[in-house]
């Protein structure tokens, strides 16, 4: 048993609210620790620490800031396996997948090392006689990140590395399900030479989130999680004058054209639908074959592969899929499979009754992969996010019918198309109302130097995560017009300045 507290001003700060949440080991089903849940006053104390640190950090030279990021990158590479092990112990994803979680976050730290180049402003010489004009990007001050359970390394690193490189102080409110990795990241930042108070972690629940979304000292909030909470954070934060980017849930479709290599498609679907037990916002949850022959063949190819999925505890090197994050979440996923059956879907593979019998792990939150055929657009089990190891197959007759589905759907995070035909792929890429699109790539997660973000109910706010969008989100532009005394004509000017040569 262990307790996780908060981190502020370069050290662990004991929680004083008296409120704790349980931390489960999803592989064994046992409570392995407790996480302190901060009170409003505790969160306010952490914000005060960050506000003080933000002043000096915002004035620190950009090269010094870049060097801290360089140090962080080296430390994260060194600590990658330790972070991945802690992550898989609290989240339940298999170790190799946990390594990927750390790696994808680390890559954003690598991107943020380039801050001297990324943050450069623009300069226009002699815009009018003797007048020069330039712009610069200034940090916002104290910014907050509120993160979900499913990527406890990657998402805190998406946000904090860019925010801190831009000169802000950062308050992270991680998921209460897997809080150890964010605390380990705090130690990495400190070792990298980041001044105390610039990176802080406040563990908590709604009380912490509400404080971060309303306190006037927080200038921007970056949120990733489910759509109802994303909407709430967006509405609350913007009503309190903050810049907010809030990423939400997803329902990602893969369109399968008759000319696609169906072996490749089947392999891609197994990884994309069942990897991390489907607890990924970019997981493919709906396969959309075009034509009956493709659909029949897909079901025939997928069924044995789904039945053969190796489910095991998160540190089992042979496991392809670990347990779900909590018993409650597993019950929710099973409930959606019940609903899908009631609504008329055909259950080709039923993962609900899977029992893992390895000694010591019998009470873990496991379930097998499920495969559902004959899914229809009107079904609630299709409209809502399931977020578990379940693939729904929705049969279509034509490309137009298939391509319209992700556009009509309320979510618009990711999608992909598998085809050999360039025209079809290009048409799909241009037409579909979704933020991230893959062509023969099942999970099109943009790399750090591009930006991540969905459309419609998958994201609220105008700017995406990382890439140049991240730099823009965490900075504000100041534009300067300068003229030196020798260029100033005598006499007052009453008209608005225009380009007069
Ligand atoms: P969640 O919405 O339950 O929690 C996210 C954060 O919000 C956590 O820090 C949590 O403490 C906080 N929170 C929870 N309930 C709250 C409430 N009532 N008021 C205020 N704050 C609250 O999400 P989760 O279950 O941790 O993560 C899974 C969800 O995240 C899925 O819907 C998934 O699609 C989504 N997700 C989206 C992306 C993306 O980029 N679009 C990426 C990863 C995960």
């Amino acid at each position: 048993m262990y307790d996780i507290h908060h981190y502020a001003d370069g050290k662990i700060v004991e929680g004083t609210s008296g409120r704790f949440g349980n931390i489960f080991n999803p592989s064994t089903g046992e409570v392995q620790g407790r996480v302190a849940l901060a009170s409003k006053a505790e969160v306010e104390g952490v914000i005060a620490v960050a506000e003080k640190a933000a002043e000096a950090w915002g004035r620190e030279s950009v090269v010094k800031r870049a060097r801290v990021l360089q140090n962080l990158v080296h430390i994260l590479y060194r600590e990658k396996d330790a972070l991945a092990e802690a992550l898989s112990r609290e989240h339940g994803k298999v170790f190799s997948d946990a390594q990927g979680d750390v790696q994808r976050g680390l890559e954003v730290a690598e991107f943020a090392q380039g801050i001297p180049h990324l943050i450069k402003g623009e300069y226009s010489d002699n815009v009018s006689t003797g007048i020069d004009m330039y712009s610069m990007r200034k940090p916002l001050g104290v910014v907050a990140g509120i993160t979900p359970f499913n990527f406890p390394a990657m998402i805190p690193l998406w946000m904090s590395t860019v925010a801190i490189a831009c000169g802000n102080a950062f308050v992270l409110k991680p998921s209460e399900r897997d809080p150890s990795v964010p605390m380990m990241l705090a130690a990495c930042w400190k070792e990298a030479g980041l001044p105390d108070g610039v990176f802080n972690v406040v563990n908590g629940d709604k009380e912490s989130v509400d404080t971060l979304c309303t306190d006037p000292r927080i200038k921007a909030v970056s949120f990733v999680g489910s759509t109802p909470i994303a909407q709430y954070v967006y509405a609350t934060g913007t009503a309190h004058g903050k810049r907010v980017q809030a990423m939400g849930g997803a329902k990602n479709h893969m369109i399968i054209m008759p000319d696609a290599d169906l072996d490749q498609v089947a392999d891609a679907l197994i990884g994309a639908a069942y990897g991390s037990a489907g607890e990924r916002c970019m997981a493919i949850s709906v396969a959309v074959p075009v034509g009956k022959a493709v659909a029949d063949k897909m079901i025939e190819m997928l069924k044995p592969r789904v039945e053969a999925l190796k489910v095991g505890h998160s540190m089992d090197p042979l496991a392809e899929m670990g347990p779900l994050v909590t018993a409650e979440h597993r019950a929710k996923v099973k409930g959606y499979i019940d609903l899908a059956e009631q609504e008329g879907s055909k259950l080709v593979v039923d993962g609900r009754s899977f029992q893992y019998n390895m000694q010591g792990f019998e009470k873990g939150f496991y379930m097998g992969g499920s495969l559902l055929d004959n899914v229809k657009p009107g079904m609630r089990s299709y409209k809502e996010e399931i977020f578990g190891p379940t693939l729904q197959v929705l049969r279509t007759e034509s490309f137009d019918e298939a391509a319209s589905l992700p556009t009509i759907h309320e979510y618009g995070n990711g999608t992909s198309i598998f085809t050999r035909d360039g025209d079809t792929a290009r048409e799909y890429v241009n037409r579909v109302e979704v933020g991230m699109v893959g062509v023969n790539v099942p999970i099109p997660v943009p790399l750090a130097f591009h930006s991540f973000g969905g459309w419609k109910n998958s994201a609220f706010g105008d700017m995406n995560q990382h890439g140049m969008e991240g730099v823009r989100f965490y900075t504000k532009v100041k534009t300067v017009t300068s003229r030196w005394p020798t260029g100033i004509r005598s006499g007052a000017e009453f008209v608005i300045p225009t380009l007069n040569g």
Side-chain angles (χ1 to χ4, degrees):
M1 283 290 285
Y2 53 88
D3 282 350
I4 297 287
H5 291 275
H6 316 295
Y7 187 95
D9 214 9
K11 51 190 175 297
I12 290 170
V13 178
E14 286 235 348
T16 54
S17 71
R19 294 194 306 126
F20 285 90
N22 284 333
I23 307 169
F24 285 91
N25 179 339
S27 292
T28 62
E30 283 160 7
V31 174
Q32 57 182 342
R34 299 189 310 168
V35 57
L37 303 175
S39 64
K40 184 172 193 278
E42 287 176 288
V43 181
E44 286 170 347
V46 176
I47 298 171
V49 164
E51 191 183 34
K52 192 156 165 262
E55 258 180 65
W57 183 244
R59 283 196 308 270
E60 190 55 89
S61 84
V62 70
V63 171
K64 168 80 191 299
R65 299 200 312 249
R67 288 194 181 131
V68 171
L69 266 297
Q70 285 164 17
N71 295 340
L72 182 74
V73 167
H74 291 298
I75 294 163
L76 291 175
Y77 270 111
R78 191 194 71 207
E79 294 301 314
K80 189 169 156 184
D81 284 358
L83 287 160
E85 198 180 326
L87 195 162
S88 96
R89 201 174 51 236
E90 290 183 354
H91 176 289
K93 66 173 79 172
V94 296
F95 180 67
S96 52
D97 196 30
Q99 286 175 310
D101 188 330
V102 181
Q103 179 64 33
R104 286 311 284 256
L106 204 163
E107 287 167 8
V108 185
E110 288 177 326
F111 162 76
Q113 295 176 105
I115 195 65
H117 176 68
L118 300 170
I119 208 166
K120 278 193 304 205
E122 294 175 319
Y123 192 96
S124 297
D125 170 45
N126 222 27
V127 289
S128 189
T129 308
I131 299 182
D132 306 321
M133 192 174 279
Y134 59 97
S135 65
M136 47 184 148
R137 293 201 162 268
K138 292 289 194 188
L140 305 179
V142 185
V143 297
I146 301 163
T147 55
F149 80 83
N150 68 326
F151 280 100
M154 179 181 83
I155 296 178
L157 285 169
W158 276 1
M159 299 170 179
S160 61
T161 54
V162 180
I164 288 174
C166 288
N168 301 287
F170 192 81
V171 180
L172 173 65
K173 205 306 278 172
S175 168
E176 56 275 51
R177 315 240 174 284
D178 40 19
S180 285
V181 167
M183 295 296 274
M184 292 166 79
L185 293 177
C188 295
W189 275 111
K190 180 157 178 117
E191 188 188 340
L194 187 72
D196 291 347
V198 179
F199 180 85
N200 309 281
V201 183
V202 58
N203 281 303
D205 51 10
K206 182 170 163 46
E207 188 166 340
S208 306
V209 171
D210 286 347
T211 311
L212 293 171
C213 290
T214 54
D215 191 293
R217 294 167 295 179
I218 298 285
K219 301 301 175 201
V221 177
S222 181
F223 173 90
V224 178
S226 59
T227 289
I229 312 298
Q231 274 173 314
Y232 171 74
V233 165
Y234 184 75
T236 312
T238 51
H240 286 81
K242 299 178 200 321
R243 192 176 282 190
V244 182
Q245 54 176 195
M247 276 63 192
K251 194 87 180 186
N252 305 318
H253 299 64
M254 183 199 281
I255 312 297
I256 306 153
M257 296 302 293
D259 65 347
D261 179 324
L262 294 189
D263 261 316
Q264 281 180 4
V265 171
D267 287 342
L269 275 173
I270 292 294
Y274 302 97
S276 203
E279 293 169 322
R280 287 181 183 145
C281 68
M282 288 292 277
I284 293 290
S285 41
V286 187
V288 187
V290 175
K292 183 174 184 313
V294 183
D296 290 346
K297 187 78 189 149
M298 277 323 315
I299 293 288
E300 185 191 316
M301 294 171 86
L302 286 169
K303 185 172 183 282
R305 285 170 159 92
V306 178
E307 286 167 342
L309 278 169
K310 291 191 191 71
V311 181
H313 68 83
S314 66
M315 293 308 284
D316 175 353
L318 298 178
E320 293 165 332
M321 204 176 93
L324 276 82
V325 67
T326 55
E328 189 190 4
H329 185 57
R330 181 179 58 177
K332 183 177 155 199
V333 173
K334 286 186 179 179
Y336 270 116
I337 299 172
D338 298 345
L339 174 68
E341 251 195 320
Q342 287 157 20
E343 289 179 315
S345 304
K346 183 177 169 200
L347 192 51
V348 180
V349 183
D350 183 358
R352 287 173 297 188
S353 56
F354 174 87
Q355 179 58 44
Y356 187 50
N357 288 323
M358 186 175 282
Q359 205 178 358
F361 296 95
E362 300 90 337
K363 293 195 182 126
F365 310 136
Y366 301 95
M367 66 182 288
S370 296
L371 181 62
L372 291 151
D373 194 3
N374 294 338
V375 172
K376 303 286 179 228
M379 294 178 177
R380 187 160 73 79
S381 55
Y382 164 74
K383 290 182 183 162
E384 297 179 8
E385 181 183 49
I386 299 179
F387 218 57
T390 303
L391 180 65
Q392 294 172 290
V393 177
L394 200 161
R395 293 165 175 251
T396 55
E397 295 300 325
S398 66
F399 168 71
D400 282 338
E401 185 190 354
S404 69
L405 290 168
T407 291
I408 295 166
H409 205 283
E410 77 162 289
Y411 293 118
N413 214 38
T415 183
S416 75
I417 182 165
F418 272 65
T419 178
R420 287 190 170 93
D421 185 87
D423 273 350
T424 308
R426 189 168 187 278
E427 176 61 22
Y428 185 66
V429 165
N430 282 297
R431 190 194 292 191
V432 71
E433 295 278 318
V434 171
M436 293 171 281
V437 188
V439 176
N440 298 318
V441 171
I443 306 192
V445 175
L447 287 172
F449 34 91
H450 284 266
S451 64
F452 183 108
W455 287 10
K456 300 181 288 184
N457 276 357
S458 292
F460 306 90
D462 299 320
M463 282 179 267
N464 285 349
Q465 301 279 347
H466 60 71
M468 281 312 293
E469 293 266 295
V471 175
R472 287 184 200 111
F473 182 75
Y474 289 118
T475 53
K476 53 191 173 193
V477 175
K478 183 176 279 185
T479 307
V480 181
T481 307
S482 80
R483 174 161 71 178
W484 296 100
T486 48
I488 300 177
R489 291 183 216 119
S490 56
E493 290 173 14
F494 295 98
V495 294
I496 189 159
T498 54
L499 287 182
N500 56 5

